[in-house]
Amino acid sequence: AKERGRRCYKFYSDSLNARALERLQLEESLRTALVREEFELYYQPQVDLKSEQITSVEALIRWNHPTLGMVSPGEFIPIAEETGLIIEIGEWVMKTACAQAKSWIDEGFPPCRMSINLSSVQFKRSALTETIKDVIEETGLPPEYLELELTESAVMTDVEQNIQRLKQLKNMGIKIAIDDFGTGYSSLSYLKKFPIDTLKIDRSFVTDLAENKEDEAIVKAIMALADTMNLGVIAEGVESQSQLAILRQYECELIQGYLFSRPLNKDDIGMLLKTGL
Ligand code: C2E
Ligand code: CA
Ligand code: CA
Ligand code: CA
């Protein structure tokens, strides 16, 4: 019995070590990923339902790991946040995305806003507005072209301070979207105090939209809320015509999802922006 106990223990500790090691390796290679230029931005169109034009794109980071291949942001962003590496990575994302948007303007493409995901770790830093000002100055992107996607939980803590920060960004001409809306603990009474532009309906409410009456009720409620508060709405994760039909029925303004396009690398999105959908 003692023998088996030891074996069990060993097995447990081995798998624990394996996981810890994997995480440590990821963390180590994350530290050098920037200088080795292993990151790449993909861009997914956000489509205006009425005009069927691409009005904006969301920048989504990709990590091409030398041995593991593509590592999804869902895996490495949390590690980047815990280690603080997200600050540098986030700055790289901002610079690269803004420079890209500027080059589309210079090439004479139809106007297209750039939506960038901002981690709560980035949003909490007092240097944020300075960093953004620098990026705008460096790249020459007019600030009206820039939109920041912030999650509910990022803005709903330290409410008073965040309202000030959002006001600064707004005064610069930058747009603000609340990402994954409906999944956090948004207090509706706070929501009206925040200077935001857009609610982004989370994919979890869209996935079963055509089959699930509760999801439909939630989408309907968010649409009504946005309408009353004069906010724009975008639905993410739209994959099917039946989902689209319901979103159209509730007059959802913008649509993002595989139905129109997957996230594309810079050459492919460039072609799509030039020729249209
Ligand atoms: P998110 O901001 O909610 O982004 C939407 C995710 O849904 C993206 O996954 C996108 O590729 C995926 N998606 C888009 N359309 C569809 C669809 O029709 N069906 C399905 N099943 N999925 C769809 P991705 O690129 O893997 O990113 C995952 C998360 O990682 C993002 O969720 C965001 O929270 C984070 N992330 C990505 N890029 C960045 C970044 O540059 N900075 C920060 N801080 N976070 C990022
Ligand atoms: Ca997002
Ligand atoms: Ca989401
Ligand atoms: Ca998100």
Side-chain angles (χ1 to χ4, degrees):
K2 200 175 171 194
E3 186 57 26
R4 199 172 51 199
R6 202 179 298 143
R7 261 213 313 274
C8 280
Y9 171 74
K10 190 171 184 312
F11 174 75
Y12 175 71
S13 97
D14 272 357
S15 68
L16 198 69
N17 281 341
R19 256 184 298 143
L21 194 68
E22 196 183 277
R23 142 99 216 205
L24 206 66
Q25 279 166 344
L26 270 190
E27 192 181 317
E28 265 319 296
S29 40
L30 203 53
R31 283 181 200 284
T32 53
L34 263 179
V35 288
R36 294 189 184 173
E37 299 182 20
E38 290 164 6
F39 292 121
E40 185 180 358
L41 289 185
Y42 272 53
Y43 302 92
Q44 188 177 35
Q46 305 183 327
V47 180
D48 182 288
L49 257 193
K50 282 222 176 83
S51 66
E52 293 193 9
Q53 303 284 321
I54 299 170
T55 60
S56 41
V57 295
E58 177 179 8
L60 294 159
I61 194 169
R62 299 290 177 259
W63 181 17
N64 208 341
H65 190 282
T67 53
L68 298 174
M70 284 285 186
V71 185
S72 88
E75 239 175 297
F76 73 82
I77 292 286
I79 300 177
E81 288 177 329
E82 283 166 40
T83 53
L85 290 168
I86 191 69
I87 299 300
E88 264 183 271
I89 296 173
E91 264 184 61
W92 177 85
V93 169
M94 223 177 303
K95 271 184 204 158
T96 308
C98 289
Q100 186 62 66
K102 176 62 162 66
S103 87
W104 290 333
I105 296 176
D106 293 345
E107 286 176 61
F109 288 12
C112 178
R113 247 181 293 123
M114 179 60 72
S115 229
I116 297 177
N117 290 287
L118 210 64
S119 157
S120 62
V121 178
Q122 289 174 280
F123 185 58
K124 284 196 188 99
R125 295 236 310 175
S126 55
L128 176 72
T129 42
E130 278 311 308
T131 305
I132 293 178
K133 269 185 198 152
D134 289 348
V135 171
I136 285 172
E137 216 177 87
E138 255 174 62
T139 59
L141 181 71
E144 312 83 68
Y145 279 76
L146 180 57
E147 178 162 40
L148 300 175
E149 296 194 1
L150 281 156
T151 60
E152 281 179 88
S153 46
V155 295
M156 288 298 165
T157 51
D158 302 321
V159 171
E160 289 308 321
Q161 190 193 308
N162 288 348
I163 290 173
Q164 291 315 312
R165 179 137 316 159
L166 290 174
K167 276 184 182 157
Q168 287 175 338
L169 295 170
K170 260 215 100 88
N171 289 340
M172 289 163 66
I174 294 167
K175 290 197 178 342
I176 309 287
I178 301 296
D179 208 353
D180 302 339
F181 188 74
T183 61
Y185 62 107
S186 255
S187 152
L188 297 184
S189 61
Y190 281 152
L191 197 60
K192 70 175 182 200
K193 292 198 211 169
F194 284 105
I196 55 176
D197 300 282
T198 308
L199 301 179
K200 192 162 187 182
I201 302 175
D202 190 63
R203 173 152 61 92
S204 59
F205 304 117
V206 175
T207 305
D208 298 323
L209 187 56
E211 298 85 34
N212 187 318
K213 284 288 162 199
E214 282 161 4
D215 287 338
E216 186 177 339
I218 290 169
V219 167
K220 187 180 172 185
I222 295 176
M223 297 302 309
L225 182 70
D227 194 37
T228 312
M229 293 176 54
N230 245 318
L231 300 172
V233 180
I234 174 164
E236 69 173 10
V238 180
E239 295 182 356
S240 72
Q241 288 293 344
S242 50
Q243 293 164 342
L244 183 68
I246 296 172
L247 290 163
R248 203 189 282 278
Q249 185 193 326
Y250 292 116
E251 292 178 38
C252 187
E253 200 184 349
L254 295 176
I255 301 288
Q256 181 179 354
Y258 296 168
L259 180 64
F260 288 114
S261 170
R262 290 183 173 262
L264 302 172
N265 70 27
K266 70 171 192 299
D267 294 332
D268 290 343
I269 190 80
M271 282 211 299
L272 190 61
L273 289 177
K274 210 156 137 185
T275 58
L277 280 168

